[in-house]
Amino acid sequence: MVRVKLDRVSKYFGRVRAVDNVSLEVMDGEFVTLLGPSGCGKTTMLLMIAGIYKPTKGRIYFDDEDVTDIPPKDRNVGMVFQSYALYPHMTVYENIAFPLRIKKLPKSEIDRKVREAAKLLKIDHLLDRKPGQLSGGQQQRVALARALVKEPDVLLLDEPLSNLDALLRVYMRAELKRLQKELKITTIYVTHDQVEAMSMSDRIVVMNEGKVQQIGTPDEVYRNPSNIFVASFIGTPPMNLIRCTYDESRNVLKCPNFEYELPSAWREALSSRTSDELVLGVRPEDIEIGVESPNAKARVLVVEPLGKDVVVTLALDEETSIKAVARAGTQLPTGEVTGLRIPLEKVHVFDGKSGRALI
Amino acid sequence: MALHWLFARRLAPWLYLAPLLAMVLLFWLTPIGLTVYLSLTNVSYKNLVYFIRGEMERISFTLRNLQNVFLGKDPFIASVAEVTLIYVCSVLAINAFYSLVLSIAIAFFVRSEALSTFLRVTWLLPRITPSVVYGLMWLWLIAPGTGPLYSLLAHVGIHPASWLLDKPYSQLLMIAINGYVGVSFGMIIYTAAIKSIPTDLINAARVDGASDFFIARRIILPLLKWPMLFVVSWQTLSLIASYEYILIVWGGGAPGTESVGTAWAAGVMVFPLYAWFQAFALGNYAYGAAIALPIVLLGIGLILLYFKVFGFQKLMQPARIEV
């Protein structure tokens, strides 16, 4: 296994900057997820690590070896594609054996390794089938077996669960994580699904428009988002972002239908703001509904029961609505005005212009 | 209600199909029937007018034409059959297989999209050039002494007195002329098929450690199975009935007549050209039809063979690139 290091890597396609000056270090045996919306450059980054694309700028290292100019075949990486990219004219056995045949290993060794990989992924009963005869989940396992059979130094996974149904996805998430921990392979996983990223990764790299927004553990990224993009991208439902105005003379944050008197210690943190327009961020699960001593009031717009809890959409004023998560069984008639408590210790404050986290 | 149902379910489909069926009847089945019928008569330029007027009592029916063709009583039929076989097999090899090699080279190995498009267009040029111009161009290319291709080949020691008349050079020329123009058809099919192979498959093979040559051999070629079968089927059927470029370059002619064409001398007389010359140059319409009959029968036989052996029905269904 190896440590993967990207040093100020950029990739341009004509005038489009798919990846822009990204530096990242993935430790030996670590599971790192590149998370971001479609078109943010995460797959391009993966293809650069695989050697399919050559960076326009910057260098890529496996341990201390510069692999930037080394072709894919000499990098010893395993990759699972979003489409699985199984060779349709080959059987499952031939698909898994493909990388080993290229290496010209003896037939007996190929056979042993293919059967081991198939057993590990519980597809040993499918070896004679063609990919077209397999379900999505089975195809995904074959693709994974093909990537693992060559005992790669780095495993690259490009949205491997996106074509699976919801139930199978939850199951495969745990399976993948178990497998990665068992084999201790340095793994870089690409997804736009923040639940996948949160549940599987040692660290998450949040990306947008080709740039890294934040690198951190799932907990860090969730609890301390570095900017509005990260705050709004992570979490279901996402963080509420409320436009507020800061009154420096009174050290008060005036928000629609409520205001906060801020602790004096926050003055210094807020001094780096670019204007008095600030954005207050609060997670839906941190809002308490129907409390006796509220610090805000809102009208109930929609109530969505999800089984274990209820998502409530509330209007603070004509233009601002927020979401809150309440316990299952909470009765809130639509249209009723209810008291909210948004605890100050749970809120985040972002700069209204740059989007940078201030608190 | 019942009437409406009868119209919608039973009559309407036939109504939609009627123009197509009329075309099949008029342009496919009628000529075949006419070919068989004519081949059983003695219709020539001498009595054609009676045939047209329908005065059939003045037309004789005979098996002589069919005996000449099918029992080999025409002493030249065997040599025509041999030339046709050489022609079809050789040009087919170029059209179906050389075009495959070219397509893989141009659509996969050439990384520059602009260069790839330029090369494809270059190979399409003969197809869009008028046949006569294309034929004249070849005549100029191989003209002894002055033709650039003649001079080039002469430098490497290949210098027949005449590319047009000296066998086997004349036959090689026949193959080159028809092969070069036919390659473009295969290339269009193959390059479209290669371009439709998902890049993920190629990238996966690269990550698996495959070289470009290995990918071409083990991934691209097997995925082109259906396009290959289509090109082979289409081109065989086209080739057994084609003679246009041979006629333009060599002219027709038949031995033992006043008009001895260079096609005979050059050994490039193929079945359809022989049929054309008998019918339209010598006016032996009935004998021309009889010579055309093996082509018709071979075509029908091959269509049935492709349906059976190659699974042509499956081939004609959508998404046969298997990805």
Side-chain angles (χ1 to χ4, degrees), chain A residues 296-317:
Chain A
K297 284 192 172 179
R299 198 172 68 256
V300 177
L301 291 179
V302 183
V303 177
E304 299 168 82
L306 296 180
K308 70 180 171 65
D309 43 35
V310 174
V311 176
V312 187
T313 307
L314 305 132
L316 285 172
D317 64 9

PDB file of all heavy atoms in Angstrom, chain A residues 296-317:
ATOM      1  N   ALA A 296     -37.520  32.709  19.110  1.00  0.00           N
ATOM      2  CA  ALA A 296     -38.057  33.085  17.795  1.00  0.00           C
ATOM      3  C   ALA A 296     -39.431  32.457  17.634  1.00  0.00           C
ATOM      4  O   ALA A 296     -39.767  31.482  18.325  1.00  0.00           O
ATOM      5  CB  ALA A 296     -37.124  32.584  16.704  1.00  0.00           C
ATOM      6  N   LYS A 297     -40.207  33.025  16.728  1.00  0.00           N
ATOM      7  CA  LYS A 297     -41.518  32.437  16.434  1.00  0.00           C
ATOM      8  C   LYS A 297     -41.618  32.214  14.924  1.00  0.00           C
ATOM      9  O   LYS A 297     -41.065  32.976  14.132  1.00  0.00           O
ATOM     10  CB  LYS A 297     -42.634  33.377  16.903  1.00  0.00           C
ATOM     11  CG  LYS A 297     -42.809  33.332  18.399  1.00  0.00           C
ATOM     12  CD  LYS A 297     -44.074  34.013  18.846  1.00  0.00           C
ATOM     13  CE  LYS A 297     -44.275  33.753  20.339  1.00  0.00           C
ATOM     14  NZ  LYS A 297     -45.465  34.389  20.835  1.00  0.00           N
ATOM     15  N   ALA A 298     -42.335  31.146  14.559  1.00  0.00           N
ATOM     16  CA  ALA A 298     -42.466  30.844  13.127  1.00  0.00           C
ATOM     17  C   ALA A 298     -43.789  30.143  12.885  1.00  0.00           C
ATOM     18  O   ALA A 298     -44.340  29.516  13.793  1.00  0.00           O
ATOM     19  CB  ALA A 298     -41.312  29.950  12.688  1.00  0.00           C
ATOM     20  N   ARG A 299     -44.247  30.238  11.621  1.00  0.00           N
ATOM     21  CA  ARG A 299     -45.511  29.589  11.268  1.00  0.00           C
ATOM     22  C   ARG A 299     -45.207  28.245  10.589  1.00  0.00           C
ATOM     23  O   ARG A 299     -44.313  28.161   9.743  1.00  0.00           O
ATOM     24  CB  ARG A 299     -46.317  30.490  10.331  1.00  0.00           C
ATOM     25  CG  ARG A 299     -47.787  30.104  10.268  1.00  0.00           C
ATOM     26  CD  ARG A 299     -48.650  31.085   9.498  1.00  0.00           C
ATOM     27  NE  ARG A 299     -48.363  31.091   8.084  1.00  0.00           N
ATOM     28  CZ  ARG A 299     -47.666  32.044   7.466  1.00  0.00           C
ATOM     29  NH1 ARG A 299     -47.196  33.081   8.146  1.00  0.00           N
ATOM     30  NH2 ARG A 299     -47.434  31.974   6.172  1.00  0.00           N
ATOM     31  N   VAL A 300     -45.965  27.223  10.952  1.00  0.00           N
ATOM     32  CA  VAL A 300     -45.743  25.891  10.390  1.00  0.00           C
ATOM     33  C   VAL A 300     -46.289  25.855   8.954  1.00  0.00           C
ATOM     34  O   VAL A 300     -47.446  26.186   8.711  1.00  0.00           O
ATOM     35  CB  VAL A 300     -46.449  24.808  11.246  1.00  0.00           C
ATOM     36  CG1 VAL A 300     -46.278  23.426  10.610  1.00  0.00           C
ATOM     37  CG2 VAL A 300     -45.923  24.824  12.669  1.00  0.00           C
ATOM     38  N   LEU A 301     -45.415  25.472   8.011  1.00  0.00           N
ATOM     39  CA  LEU A 301     -45.834  25.400   6.604  1.00  0.00           C
ATOM     40  C   LEU A 301     -46.142  23.963   6.178  1.00  0.00           C
ATOM     41  O   LEU A 301     -47.187  23.667   5.639  1.00  0.00           O
ATOM     42  CB  LEU A 301     -44.731  25.963   5.695  1.00  0.00           C
ATOM     43  CG  LEU A 301     -44.458  27.461   5.747  1.00  0.00           C
ATOM     44  CD1 LEU A 301     -43.318  27.808   4.810  1.00  0.00           C
ATOM     45  CD2 LEU A 301     -45.694  28.259   5.373  1.00  0.00           C
ATOM     46  N   VAL A 302     -45.182  23.079   6.424  1.00  0.00           N
ATOM     47  CA  VAL A 302     -45.330  21.669   6.001  1.00  0.00           C
ATOM     48  C   VAL A 302     -44.781  20.761   7.089  1.00  0.00           C
ATOM     49  O   VAL A 302     -43.773  21.084   7.719  1.00  0.00           O
ATOM     50  CB  VAL A 302     -44.531  21.393   4.685  1.00  0.00           C
ATOM     51  CG1 VAL A 302     -44.742  19.957   4.218  1.00  0.00           C
ATOM     52  CG2 VAL A 302     -44.920  22.358   3.585  1.00  0.00           C
ATOM     53  N   VAL A 303     -45.448  19.633   7.283  1.00  0.00           N
ATOM     54  CA  VAL A 303     -44.942  18.629   8.236  1.00  0.00           C
ATOM     55  C   VAL A 303     -44.729  17.330   7.458  1.00  0.00           C
ATOM     56  O   VAL A 303     -45.645  16.840   6.797  1.00  0.00           O
ATOM     57  CB  VAL A 303     -45.954  18.413   9.390  1.00  0.00           C
ATOM     58  CG1 VAL A 303     -45.453  17.326  10.338  1.00  0.00           C
ATOM     59  CG2 VAL A 303     -46.192  19.706  10.151  1.00  0.00           C
ATOM     60  N   GLU A 304     -43.500  16.809   7.479  1.00  0.00           N
ATOM     61  CA  GLU A 304     -43.181  15.582   6.725  1.00  0.00           C
ATOM     62  C   GLU A 304     -42.749  14.477   7.681  1.00  0.00           C
ATOM     63  O   GLU A 304     -41.605  14.489   8.155  1.00  0.00           O
ATOM     64  CB  GLU A 304     -42.038  15.846   5.741  1.00  0.00           C
ATOM     65  CG  GLU A 304     -42.332  16.900   4.702  1.00  0.00           C
ATOM     66  CD  GLU A 304     -41.081  17.315   3.943  1.00  0.00           C
ATOM     67  OE1 GLU A 304     -40.711  16.613   3.014  1.00  0.00           O
ATOM     68  OE2 GLU A 304     -40.472  18.337   4.321  1.00  0.00           O
ATOM     69  N   PRO A 305     -43.637  13.536   7.998  1.00  0.00           N
ATOM     70  CA  PRO A 305     -43.240  12.431   8.895  1.00  0.00           C
ATOM     71  C   PRO A 305     -42.319  11.457   8.149  1.00  0.00           C
ATOM     72  O   PRO A 305     -42.624  11.051   7.036  1.00  0.00           O
ATOM     73  CB  PRO A 305     -44.569  11.759   9.246  1.00  0.00           C
ATOM     74  CG  PRO A 305     -45.639  12.584   8.620  1.00  0.00           C
ATOM     75  CD  PRO A 305     -45.027  13.412   7.565  1.00  0.00           C
ATOM     76  N   LEU A 306     -41.159  11.138   8.765  1.00  0.00           N
ATOM     77  CA  LEU A 306     -40.208  10.226   8.104  1.00  0.00           C
ATOM     78  C   LEU A 306     -40.041   8.926   8.879  1.00  0.00           C
ATOM     79  O   LEU A 306     -39.066   8.204   8.718  1.00  0.00           O
ATOM     80  CB  LEU A 306     -38.838  10.901   7.967  1.00  0.00           C
ATOM     81  CG  LEU A 306     -38.761  12.131   7.072  1.00  0.00           C
ATOM     82  CD1 LEU A 306     -37.353  12.683   7.044  1.00  0.00           C
ATOM     83  CD2 LEU A 306     -39.230  11.830   5.657  1.00  0.00           C
ATOM     84  N   GLY A 307     -40.944   8.639   9.782  1.00  0.00           N
ATOM     85  CA  GLY A 307     -40.828   7.425  10.578  1.00  0.00           C
ATOM     86  C   GLY A 307     -40.243   7.719  11.927  1.00  0.00           C
ATOM     87  O   GLY A 307     -40.962   7.973  12.891  1.00  0.00           O
ATOM     88  N   LYS A 308     -38.878   7.751  11.966  1.00  0.00           N
ATOM     89  CA  LYS A 308     -38.256   7.947  13.286  1.00  0.00           C
ATOM     90  C   LYS A 308     -38.298   9.414  13.718  1.00  0.00           C
ATOM     91  O   LYS A 308     -38.154   9.722  14.885  1.00  0.00           O
ATOM     92  CB  LYS A 308     -36.823   7.407  13.313  1.00  0.00           C
ATOM     93  CG  LYS A 308     -35.812   8.188  12.496  1.00  0.00           C
ATOM     94  CD  LYS A 308     -34.450   7.524  12.629  1.00  0.00           C
ATOM     95  CE  LYS A 308     -33.429   8.114  11.662  1.00  0.00           C
ATOM     96  NZ  LYS A 308     -33.099   9.494  11.918  1.00  0.00           N
ATOM     97  N   ASP A 309     -38.474  10.337  12.785  1.00  0.00           N
ATOM     98  CA  ASP A 309     -38.655  11.734  13.173  1.00  0.00           C
ATOM     99  C   ASP A 309     -39.507  12.480  12.133  1.00  0.00           C
ATOM    100  O   ASP A 309     -39.951  11.871  11.153  1.00  0.00           O
ATOM    101  CB  ASP A 309     -37.310  12.435  13.419  1.00  0.00           C
ATOM    102  CG  ASP A 309     -36.267  12.096  12.382  1.00  0.00           C
ATOM    103  OD1 ASP A 309     -36.652  11.920  11.201  1.00  0.00           O
ATOM    104  OD2 ASP A 309     -35.088  11.991  12.734  1.00  0.00           O
ATOM    105  N   VAL A 310     -39.684  13.772  12.412  1.00  0.00           N
ATOM    106  CA  VAL A 310     -40.572  14.568  11.558  1.00  0.00           C
ATOM    107  C   VAL A 310     -39.799  15.792  11.080  1.00  0.00           C
ATOM    108  O   VAL A 310     -39.141  16.457  11.873  1.00  0.00           O
ATOM    109  CB  VAL A 310     -41.798  15.036  12.378  1.00  0.00           C
ATOM    110  CG1 VAL A 310     -42.676  15.991  11.575  1.00  0.00           C
ATOM    111  CG2 VAL A 310     -42.611  13.853  12.846  1.00  0.00           C
ATOM    112  N   VAL A 311     -39.851  16.071   9.772  1.00  0.00           N
ATOM    113  CA  VAL A 311     -39.213  17.289   9.262  1.00  0.00           C
ATOM    114  C   VAL A 311     -40.298  18.362   9.122  1.00  0.00           C
ATOM    115  O   VAL A 311     -41.322  18.136   8.463  1.00  0.00           O
ATOM    116  CB  VAL A 311     -38.525  17.033   7.905  1.00  0.00           C
ATOM    117  CG1 VAL A 311     -37.943  18.335   7.344  1.00  0.00           C
ATOM    118  CG2 VAL A 311     -37.427  15.999   8.055  1.00  0.00           C
ATOM    119  N   VAL A 312     -40.067  19.483   9.784  1.00  0.00           N
ATOM    120  CA  VAL A 312     -41.060  20.557   9.756  1.00  0.00           C
ATOM    121  C   VAL A 312     -40.476  21.758   9.011  1.00  0.00           C
ATOM    122  O   VAL A 312     -39.356  22.196   9.308  1.00  0.00           O
ATOM    123  CB  VAL A 312     -41.434  20.989  11.198  1.00  0.00           C
ATOM    124  CG1 VAL A 312     -42.605  21.982  11.169  1.00  0.00           C
ATOM    125  CG2 VAL A 312     -41.774  19.782  12.049  1.00  0.00           C
ATOM    126  N   THR A 313     -41.219  22.270   8.048  1.00  0.00           N
ATOM    127  CA  THR A 313     -40.804  23.493   7.350  1.00  0.00           C
ATOM    128  C   THR A 313     -41.561  24.662   7.985  1.00  0.00           C
ATOM    129  O   THR A 313     -42.791  24.608   8.135  1.00  0.00           O
ATOM    130  CB  THR A 313     -41.124  23.400   5.853  1.00  0.00           C
ATOM    131  OG1 THR A 313     -40.556  22.196   5.352  1.00  0.00           O
ATOM    132  CG2 THR A 313     -40.545  24.572   5.077  1.00  0.00           C
ATOM    133  N   LEU A 314     -40.793  25.669   8.385  1.00  0.00           N
ATOM    134  CA  LEU A 314     -41.389  26.801   9.103  1.00  0.00           C
ATOM    135  C   LEU A 314     -41.037  28.108   8.408  1.00  0.00           C
ATOM    136  O   LEU A 314     -39.941  28.245   7.853  1.00  0.00           O
ATOM    137  CB  LEU A 314     -40.834  26.847  10.539  1.00  0.00           C
ATOM    138  CG  LEU A 314     -41.001  25.572  11.368  1.00  0.00           C
ATOM    139  CD1 LEU A 314     -39.694  25.213  12.035  1.00  0.00           C
ATOM    140  CD2 LEU A 314     -42.104  25.739  12.395  1.00  0.00           C
ATOM    141  N   ALA A 315     -41.966  29.079   8.482  1.00  0.00           N
ATOM    142  CA  ALA A 315     -41.705  30.399   7.885  1.00  0.00           C
ATOM    143  C   ALA A 315     -41.384  31.376   9.002  1.00  0.00           C
ATOM    144  O   ALA A 315     -42.201  31.592   9.912  1.00  0.00           O
ATOM    145  CB  ALA A 315     -42.914  30.854   7.101  1.00  0.00           C
ATOM    146  N   LEU A 316     -40.163  31.958   8.937  1.00  0.00           N
ATOM    147  CA  LEU A 316     -39.805  32.978   9.922  1.00  0.00           C
ATOM    148  C   LEU A 316     -40.473  34.301   9.554  1.00  0.00           C
ATOM    149  O   LEU A 316     -40.929  35.042  10.409  1.00  0.00           O
ATOM    150  CB  LEU A 316     -38.282  33.154   9.950  1.00  0.00           C
ATOM    151  CG  LEU A 316     -37.492  32.044  10.645  1.00  0.00           C
ATOM    152  CD1 LEU A 316     -36.010  32.236  10.428  1.00  0.00           C
ATOM    153  CD2 LEU A 316     -37.796  31.999  12.146  1.00  0.00           C
ATOM    154  N   ASP A 317     -40.470  34.587   8.243  1.00  0.00           N
ATOM    155  CA  ASP A 317     -41.229  35.730   7.727  1.00  0.00           C
ATOM    156  C   ASP A 317     -41.654  35.397   6.301  1.00  0.00           C
ATOM    157  O   ASP A 317     -41.571  34.227   5.887  1.00  0.00           O
ATOM    158  CB  ASP A 317     -40.402  37.028   7.817  1.00  0.00           C
ATOM    159  CG  ASP A 317     -39.159  36.984   6.940  1.00  0.00           C
ATOM    160  OD1 ASP A 317     -39.029  36.028   6.142  1.00  0.00           O
ATOM    161  OD2 ASP A 317     -38.314  37.892   7.046  1.00  0.00           O
TER     162      ASP A 317
END
